[in-house]
Amino acid sequence: MAFGRKRKVVPFRSSGELDAMAAAGAVVGRALVAVREAAKPGVSTLELDRVAEAVIRDAGAVPSFLGYHGFTGSICSSVNDRVVHGIPSAEDILVAGDLISIDCGAILDGWHGDSAWTFGVGEIIEADALLSDATRLSMDAGIAAMLPGNRLTDVSHAIENGTRAAEKLHGRKYGIVDGYGGHGIGREMHMEPFLANEGGPGKGPELVVGSTLAIEPMLTLGTYETEILGDEWTVVTTDGSRAAHWEHTVAVTEDGPRILTLRP
């Protein structure tokens, strides 16, 4: 008797579970908007952290990041050449022209939402604005590939193609940060599978209705190489070039991709 090999799929949720994840994601969206409104010259990243935590707890949720493997913040605040995992600090004071990436997560009724965006503090130079826009466009391309029947690396390939399209649009090259990417998400913040931000299509587990992924490209104005600072968290570009990070939690549905971390 012959047995077929069971197909591998990206973990999926019911429609009710997706609604619960969207509720958690909406808390994250509100926290991110509140942080952006508070991000003015002279404000510390620790103050931004307190803004986010207040929004999350006022909603009856819990910050995903706080205490995660010892992390001390409710947000990751990564300024200029910091790519991801920047630790909020009272000594880290924003100045006009900074480019800041805020990553935020919340747990509501056991479900996780995870989202990030990059924006300027006051007026920023054109190159930084275009970098953030390119990263958003890459994320959007990945989101558009969240369709039933696609494979995991179809999303990776779409993200890379989004970056290449942004390069043509902007007339410059961007570095795709090596070794970091998106992930499965649900009742845990970081779940399998890992989602690379570049690569060939047609490989990996299949996307089915209800599959959820956190899609999060990270681009730089220079190198794709990074290093981790002595705090054992903060990831920076090795050449000092500025970086941007955009992320949404997204589900596959019969009606197309559903963003679960919408911002008001």
Side-chain angles (χ1 to χ4, degrees), residues 42 114 168 175 194 251:
D114 189 7
K168 291 182 179 179
F194 171 75

Side-chain angles (χ1 to χ4, degrees), residues 35-191:
V35 167
R36 180 167 185 168
E37 290 174 349
K40 310 292 184 184
V43 173
S44 73
T45 55
L46 183 60
E47 290 174 276
L48 299 183
D49 186 79
R50 289 170 176 163
V51 167
E53 183 175 3
V55 171
I56 292 168
R57 295 197 185 279
D58 285 349
V62 176
S64 301
F65 298 175
L66 187 60
Y68 182 78
H69 295 296
F71 192 76
T72 57
S74 296
I75 59 171
C76 297
S77 52
S78 304
V79 183
N80 297 334
D81 66 334
R82 296 172 228 170
V83 183
V84 286
H85 305 162
I87 302 174
S89 168
E91 286 73 46
D92 192 13
I93 307 297
L94 300 178
V95 299
D98 278 342
L99 186 69
I100 183 170
S101 301
I102 302 294
D103 192 355
C104 183
I107 311 165
L108 183 65
D109 297 328
W111 294 100
H112 285 261
D114 189 7
S115 184
W117 66 352
T118 298
F119 53 86
V121 179
E123 293 294 322
I124 59 173
I125 63 172
E126 182 183 35
D128 288 352
L130 291 177
L131 171 65
S132 179
D133 186 57
T135 312
R136 179 188 59 80
L137 291 171
S138 301
M139 179 189 67
D140 288 346
I143 291 171
M146 290 285 285
L147 300 172
N150 270 355
R151 305 286 287 273
L152 180 71
T153 68
D154 290 326
V155 182
S156 301
H157 191 60
I159 295 170
E160 181 180 1
N161 283 346
T163 301
R164 302 309 173 210
E167 289 177 333
K168 291 182 179 179
L169 180 66
H170 298 162
R172 62 154 302 130
K173 298 289 287 183
Y174 295 109
I176 299 175
V177 174
D178 188 37
Y180 294 88
H183 51 88
I185 184 170
R187 287 199 175 272
E188 299 175 40
M189 181 168 57
H190 291 123
M191 303 175 65

Side-chain angles (χ1 to χ4, degrees), residues 81 175 220-227 236-243:
D81 66 334
T220 81
L221 288 174
T223 183
Y224 60 87
E225 297 179 326
T226 60
E227 60 186 0
V236 300
T237 58
T238 56
D239 63 356
S241 60
R242 293 198 170 188

